[in-house]
Amino acid sequence: MVVSGCGRSPPVMIAGGRVFVLPCIQQIQRISLNTLTLNVKSDKVYTRHGVPISVTGIAQVKIQGQNKEMLAAACQMFLGKSEAEIAQIALETLEGHQRAIIAHLTVEEIYQDRKKFSEQVFKVASSDLVNMGIGVVSYTLKDVHDDQDYLHSLGKARTAQVQKDARIGEAQYKRDAVIKEAHAMQEKVSAQYMNEIEMAKAQRDYELKKAAYDMEVNTKKAESEMAYQLQVAKTKQRIEEEKMQVQVVERTQQITLQEQEITRREKEWPRRQKPLRNIKKVPWWTCCWRNCHW
């Protein structure tokens, strides 16, 4: 709301509020602060290389009520005008800048880099509309087309290039796959051979160690058997010696008993003996031999 008249010099601008107005001596006018959506369409604009194309963009614009300077400029420009009239003025301004930027670019630049084109239109239009108190909220390139099938031909060329690149890429992929497969097979065979060599080395080391262990075990076993046999021989010898000692003792006891028996009989002999007359004398050992039991 813009209040002017008696006591309101300069006019008072109120964005989204309330105000007291004196009838007859004060006047109140309104200006829309709504966001306006503009369909910016430029038909058959010649590009830098002379190709006519049609471009359609979508812009969001609004009068900035928070900025006092921009609001004052908008009031001076659009006070008393309807929202449609304000939108038409902003649309014509945007469309003019859009045409100017199209004329400085090629079709490829516009079609392939839409973001860059939108940024250029947004930048140029914002600097111009801000002087009218209008701020550009956003701008987006919606559509690009032509009546000469230039973009279609460009698409075909691009499609052919993409297909060509795809075929080349597929051939290179197959070639790389074959090479990698051959390398993998070679590495596999090499690894298999190395594995067999390592297994042979391990088997050899195992057999050598086993032979050394077997020899050591057999040596210990032979030494043990020899020690056992030696111990058995010593034991037998000791038993034989003990048997001989027992026999010697027994023989000694027998001899002792025999000697005692002889002594006893010699003692008994005089009592049994009778006087012998006219007996021829014989040697003493003969007599002893005859009278001895053994």
Side-chain angles (χ1 to χ4, degrees):
M1 294 183 295
V2 179
V3 180
S4 60
C6 181
R8 300 294 185 178
S9 182
V12 177
M13 297 176 293
I14 301 171
R18 63 182 65 184
V19 65
F20 180 77
V21 178
L22 297 176
C24 300
I25 62 174
Q26 292 181 345
Q27 182 182 6
I28 182 170
Q29 294 175 294
R30 289 178 172 82
I31 185 170
S32 176
L33 300 181
N34 294 329
T35 300
L36 305 177
T37 301
L38 306 179
N39 189 16
V40 187
K41 188 175 182 180
S42 301
D43 293 328
K44 296 181 181 181
V45 181
Y46 287 91
T47 62
R48 189 172 64 186
H49 290 166
V51 179
I53 62 172
S54 298
V55 176
T56 302
I58 301 297
Q60 304 285 338
V61 299
K62 73 184 297 293
I63 296 175
Q64 299 294 334
Q66 290 77 18
N67 190 316
K68 297 297 183 181
E69 293 180 358
M70 292 182 66
L71 183 58
C75 289
Q76 291 178 0
M77 292 287 297
F78 306 116
L79 196 62
K81 297 183 181 296
S82 65
E83 188 173 298
E85 292 175 333
I86 297 173
Q88 184 62 31
I89 294 172
L91 177 61
E92 291 177 355
T93 304
L94 279 168
E95 202 269 336
H97 290 301
Q98 182 172 270
R99 282 178 171 272
I101 293 172
I102 293 172
H104 287 83
L105 298 175
T106 64
V107 178
E108 290 80 0
E109 291 175 342
I110 298 172
Y111 186 76
Q112 295 176 0
D113 196 351
R114 296 191 175 196
K115 182 179 180 181
K116 180 180 179 181
F117 176 79
S118 299
E119 289 176 352
Q120 290 183 3
V121 174
F122 179 86
K123 181 178 179 182
V124 175
S126 296
S127 62
D128 194 7
L129 290 175
V130 72
N131 296 325
M132 301 180 186
I134 299 175
V136 181
V137 179
S138 66
Y139 174 86
T140 305
L141 181 60
K142 181 181 178 181
D143 182 42
V144 179
H145 67 277
D146 70 304
D147 298 333
Q148 307 296 326
D149 290 336
Y150 184 87
L151 294 174
H152 183 67
S153 301
L154 185 65
K156 282 186 176 180
R158 180 57 183 166
T159 302
Q161 182 65 33
V162 171
Q163 291 177 352
K164 177 183 176 182
D165 295 341
R167 289 193 297 269
I168 294 173
E170 183 179 2
Q172 292 177 349
Y173 174 77
K174 290 181 178 179
R175 180 200 62 190
D176 296 341
V178 172
I179 294 173
K180 289 181 180 180
E181 184 177 359
H183 287 168
M185 182 61 66
Q186 182 179 1
E187 292 178 357
K188 178 182 178 181
V189 173
S190 300
Q192 184 177 359
Y193 289 158
M194 291 298 297
N195 188 28
E196 291 178 357
I197 292 172
E198 293 297 330
M199 290 177 63
K201 289 182 179 180
Q203 183 69 23
R204 181 199 61 188
D205 296 340
Y206 168 74
E207 291 178 354
L208 290 175
K209 289 183 180 180
K210 186 175 182 299
Y213 292 155
D214 291 343
M215 183 175 65
E216 184 178 357
V217 170
N218 293 332
T219 302
K220 294 294 183 180
K221 185 176 180 181
E223 291 177 355
S224 177
E225 290 179 355
M226 291 179 63
Y228 174 75
Q229 293 176 1
L230 180 60
Q231 186 64 32
V232 169
K234 288 181 179 180
T235 303
K236 287 183 178 180
Q237 183 179 1
R238 188 168 62 252
I239 292 173
E240 292 296 331
E241 290 177 355
E242 291 178 356
K243 285 183 178 180
M244 292 294 295
Q245 291 178 0
V246 171
Q247 290 177 359
V248 169
V249 171
E250 289 178 352
R251 186 62 178 168
T252 303
Q253 290 178 356
Q254 290 177 1
I255 293 173
T256 303
L257 291 174
Q258 290 176 358
E259 289 176 353
Q260 291 177 358
E261 182 67 20
I262 292 172
T263 302
R264 184 183 64 79
R265 291 194 177 190
E266 285 178 353
K267 289 181 181 180
E268 291 179 355
W269 172 256
R271 282 184 282 178
R272 292 181 181 180
Q273 187 177 11
K274 295 181 180 181
L276 300 176
R277 296 178 181 176
N278 299 324
I279 298 176
K280 186 179 177 178
K281 292 183 178 180
V282 294
W284 63 273
W285 61 83
T286 304
C287 180
C288 290
W289 175 261
R290 290 176 179 177
N291 290 288
C292 184
H293 289 284
W294 62 49

